[in-house]
Amino acid sequence: MTSSLPHGGSTGESAVAAFLLADSRLPSGAYSHSAGLEPAVMAGLQVEGVYPYLISRLQTVGRMETVAAVLAHRRALELCTSAGGEDDGGAPGFAALEAALDARTPSAAQRDASRRLGRGMLRLAATLKPGDPAVAALKREAPRPTRPVALGVAARALGVGEAALARLCCYDDAQSVVAAALKLLPIDPMTATGWILAAEPQINAVADDALQARDLDDLPALSAPLMEHWAEDHTERTRRLFVA
């Protein structure tokens, strides 16, 4: 049996690759990253606040990152389908996308956390698809990419379409919150699983909206001041389970 994971514009998509990119064992996975929940719990968030927190992230951080991942995916596809990986002036370049994300992320701690996750995702993509032109371009243009940009590039390299990527980006963030909650708070795992299912309409809505984005003007700039404050405070703590 041969593999058909595409390097360029292929009609096939890999469902298995989408599952892989949501695996908590990855360097960007939930075993090391709480999607900001640990700082929130340290600040006093209780069990009843976890689901509202999850939804708030989807509508702020998640909405921005999903649009960024979709734009990065399109840029990667352009680079891999154009002759020799030349710029055709379509989707925004990786460096411009990274600058736009930085401008929309006031918290230095959140920017650093995203780049830690992105660096791990880029390493995964470079290992699994070492000859991919978009992966090489991202390494040149943004060697420390943010999570959504690296996720978009990795998804395209592994044959995940942009619609699946948009939902993956939202799901991965939500499941990181839930996985962390199980370690940090007294929660029934069945209840936590139910939160993910309950969030499906919001996940689908955010993902569908992200697919309508065309350029950097469509990248949301949504503030989450408490999350930003908690993330900054987390960097000063010496006892913690998660890096962010």
Side-chain angles (χ1 to χ4, degrees):
M1 180 179 294
T2 60
S3 171
S4 59
L5 291 180
H7 278 287
S10 169
T11 57
E13 292 187 13
S14 173
V16 172
F19 296 145
L20 168 68
L21 292 174
D23 195 316
S24 65
R25 294 170 295 178
L26 293 180
S28 58
Y31 80 94
S32 64
H33 172 56
S34 75
L37 185 69
E38 183 175 45
V41 169
M42 289 179 169
L45 188 77
Q46 299 297 315
V47 171
E48 62 274 10
V50 175
Y51 182 71
Y53 175 88
L54 184 157
I55 297 300
S56 294
R57 274 191 65 90
L58 275 175
Q59 297 299 342
T60 53
V61 177
R63 189 173 288 276
M64 177 183 69
E65 291 199 346
T66 304
V67 171
V70 168
L71 292 176
H73 186 281
R74 290 177 186 163
R75 174 61 174 169
L77 183 59
E78 287 176 357
L79 290 173
C80 293
T81 56
S82 61
E86 296 293 331
D87 187 356
D88 66 0
F94 297 133
L97 185 51
E98 289 288 355
L101 282 168
D102 280 351
R104 289 160 173 78
T105 310
S107 166
Q110 286 184 325
R111 294 195 301 270
D112 182 64
S114 184
R115 293 191 188 286
R116 286 172 183 259
L117 298 175
R119 197 162 59 242
M121 186 63 69
L122 178 57
R123 182 184 175 204
L124 175 73
T127 300
L128 296 180
K129 292 292 180 179
D132 187 271
V135 173
L138 180 58
K139 289 178 72 174
R140 287 194 309 271
E141 296 180 31
R144 295 183 66 246
T146 52
R147 168 191 174 265
V149 174
L151 179 61
V153 172
R156 198 234 53 87
L158 294 175
V160 178
E162 69 174 38
L165 163 67
R167 282 163 177 76
L168 163 66
C169 191
C170 294
Y171 168 77
D172 184 50
D173 193 80
Q175 68 92 14
S176 294
V177 171
V178 168
L182 292 173
K183 297 179 176 71
L184 297 167
L185 294 165
I187 297 173
D188 184 334
M190 300 302 103
T191 298
T193 300
W195 289 337
I196 296 291
L197 291 174
E200 183 177 6
Q202 287 90 345
I203 288 174
N204 288 337
V206 170
D208 290 342
D209 286 348
L211 295 175
Q212 306 308 311
R214 292 295 175 263
D215 53 40
L216 292 180
D217 289 339
D218 297 321
L219 187 64
L222 301 168
S223 180
L226 270 180
M227 293 183 195
E228 293 157 10
H229 173 74
W230 292 334
E232 292 297 321
D233 184 61
H234 196 243
T235 64
E236 303 299 321
R237 295 184 180 271
T238 57
R239 299 180 65 183
R240 55 189 183 183
L241 292 177
F242 301 96
V243 296

